[in-house]
Amino acid sequence: MAGFHIKQIVLLLLLVCCAHAHTHIRNLIIDGKTLERGQCIRPYESHFNYPVKGVDNEQIVCRTTSMSASSTDMCDVKAGSTMTIEFHEEEDSGSRAIEGKHYGPCIAYLSKMTSDGQPSGWFKIFEQGYDSSSKKWCIDTLNANDGKLDIEIPGDIEDGDYLLRGEIIALHLAEKKGGAEFYNNCVQLTISGGSGTATPELVQIPGVYAEDDPGIYFNLYDGYKSYSIPGPKVYKAGSVAAVNPKAPGNGDTESSSSAGGEDDNGGEDDNGGEDDNGGEDNNEPTTSSSSRKGNGSPPDDDANPSPTDDDDSKSSSPAASTKPTSSPKPPCTRPRRRRRNVDARRRIAEL
């Protein structure tokens, strides 16, 4: 009987502990102004600070069943500026961000909103996980900073209405699959003033995480030395412009011509003689280096004949074709004349 009471007490203690270990995005700070609780944040559920379990749970999007934009204010934010989201356990701003042993990363995503208030696809704009040098988690930083988390809005994204999804992933139960706890809320923003040229690569939520991801299925009690934050890489302003021209499929002609080697170092075009003297290559339109690579290459010409290959064979054959037609004439005509003269002399001598 005493054992039964002990179990009840332990269970009650666990419930009390867990009730005070939850968190939510309570409010925003924009242009130095602290907004009211819930302003521009998608409506909270009745258990506003309870976690979402399961990477495929639809609640992992915004932790709300109300996904209509009309029920929530829009907050104006300038592209390139820094805003602040505040996590707190309770409704009052004096509460801590989250229980100190609920270690895990802090992450933020952006998504353009569709006309009906739905996210169109997410890109990550912030992440902070585990610092192996200080042995501190984002949760430690968050609690030390009164729940405040600064988020920079990229300066090169399109103007428009966006959802900002702030998230904490608590890993204190993540040594078992499905044990990670997701504390996420969505903020409605109207972003303007940027260059509006970037198109970051998008991911879907749910879909971006898997239960066996190293950053989701993680043992805090096994002497870890590092941690991999789940999800895509963080998008920074300007990174699309730096990457896209070199991406596969973009600028194929330019990138392949500089990397192929035949035009610069192979010697076919400059030293082979056919391009300069044959006449065919100089009159054809510009092609990629992959086409030029095949020119003058016997294996490629035999295996993949083409109009260009035929032209190449013609350009290398005139010298060879004129020699057989011009050189046989002297040996063929002159011996015959000599033989006719000899025969005539023999006939005259016989007479």
Side-chain angles (χ1 to χ4, degrees):
M1 191 71 176
F4 177 75
H5 288 299
I6 292 174
K7 288 182 180 180
Q8 282 185 319
I9 293 171
V10 170
L11 180 60
L12 287 173
L13 288 174
L14 286 173
L15 290 173
V16 171
C17 168
C18 292
H20 290 283
H22 299 164
T23 190
H24 72 305
I25 297 179
R26 181 191 179 276
N27 60 272
L28 313 175
I29 302 176
I30 299 176
D31 293 332
K33 181 181 178 181
T34 301
L35 305 186
E36 296 293 328
R37 178 180 182 265
Q39 186 175 351
C40 297
I41 301 172
R42 286 284 170 94
Y44 305 120
E45 297 294 285
S46 57
H47 300 294
F48 62 89
N49 60 2
Y50 276 39
V52 175
K53 289 288 195 98
V55 297
D56 295 322
N57 191 329
E58 289 298 326
Q59 290 275 312
I60 203 173
V61 181
C62 294
R63 201 167 34 155
T64 182
T65 55
S66 177
M67 290 298 290
S68 171
S70 61
S71 59
T72 305
D73 294 336
M74 302 293 301
C75 281
D76 294 326
V77 176
K78 294 179 180 178
S81 68
T82 297
M83 61 175 291
T84 302
I85 57 178
E86 277 196 42
F87 283 92
H88 290 284
E89 283 184 333
E90 304 298 338
E91 294 184 28
D92 65 281
S93 60
S95 60
R96 62 185 175 181
I98 194 171
E99 200 281 323
K101 298 300 181 182
H102 281 32
Y103 297 130
C106 309
I107 303 172
Y109 293 85
L110 271 180
S111 172
K112 278 291 275 302
M113 277 201 309
T114 62
S115 58
D116 59 351
Q118 301 300 310
S120 59
W122 302 91
F123 57 99
K124 186 189 288 185
I125 61 170
F126 176 89
E127 65 178 20
Q128 184 178 335
Y130 176 68
D131 185 349
S132 58
S133 59
S134 64
K135 294 181 171 51
K136 298 290 186 180
W137 286 86
C138 179
I139 300 306
D140 299 312
T141 304
L142 203 60
N143 277 324
N145 199 33
D146 296 325
K148 297 179 177 67
L149 192 67
D150 292 338
I151 306 294
E152 182 180 354
I153 305 299
D156 59 353
I157 58 176
E158 297 178 345
D159 291 352
D161 293 339
Y162 284 80
L163 284 172
L164 185 150
R165 179 182 177 275
E167 174 179 56
I168 292 173
I169 304 177
L171 303 170
H172 56 289
L173 300 175
E175 74 274 11
K176 296 181 179 180
K177 288 184 180 180
E181 294 182 349
F182 299 87
Y183 297 93
N184 51 281
N185 294 100
C186 290
V187 178
Q188 292 191 171
L189 303 174
T190 297
I191 299 176
S192 62
S195 63
T197 57
T199 53
E201 184 176 351
L202 304 179
V203 297
Q204 297 302 316
I205 301 176
V208 69
Y209 301 143
E211 292 290 4
D212 58 355
D213 283 347
I216 302 292
Y217 178 40
F218 185 82
N219 193 340
L220 282 172
Y221 317 105
D222 195 26
Y224 61 92
K225 294 183 180 179
S226 62
Y227 171 78
S228 297
I229 300 174
K233 293 182 179 180
V234 173
Y235 173 74
K236 294 292 185 182
S239 60
V240 167
V243 174
N244 276 359
K246 298 181 181 179
N250 293 334
D252 290 340
T253 301
E254 181 179 356
S255 62
S256 60
S257 64
S258 62
E262 285 73 20
D263 293 338
D264 297 331
N265 304 319
E268 284 80 5
D269 289 343
D270 296 330
N271 302 323
E274 287 76 15
D275 295 332
D276 295 332
N277 303 323
E280 285 74 12
D281 290 342
N282 291 334
N283 297 326
E284 291 197 8
T286 303
T287 58
S288 66
S289 65
S290 59
S291 298
R292 291 195 291 269
K293 182 178 180 181
N295 294 343
S297 174
D300 291 343
D301 293 343
D302 295 339
N304 301 303
S306 66
T308 304
D309 296 335
D310 291 341
D311 290 342
D312 288 343
S313 64
K314 291 176 183 178
S315 67
S316 62
S317 64
S321 61
T322 54
K323 289 178 182 178
T325 57
S326 59
S327 59
K329 288 181 180 179
C332 291
T333 56
R334 289 176 186 175
R336 289 175 183 172
R337 288 175 183 173
R338 289 174 184 173
R339 289 171 184 170
R340 289 174 183 174
N341 292 337
V342 171
D343 293 340
R345 290 173 184 174
R346 288 178 181 174
R347 292 174 182 174
I348 291 171
E350 291 175 356
L351 293 174

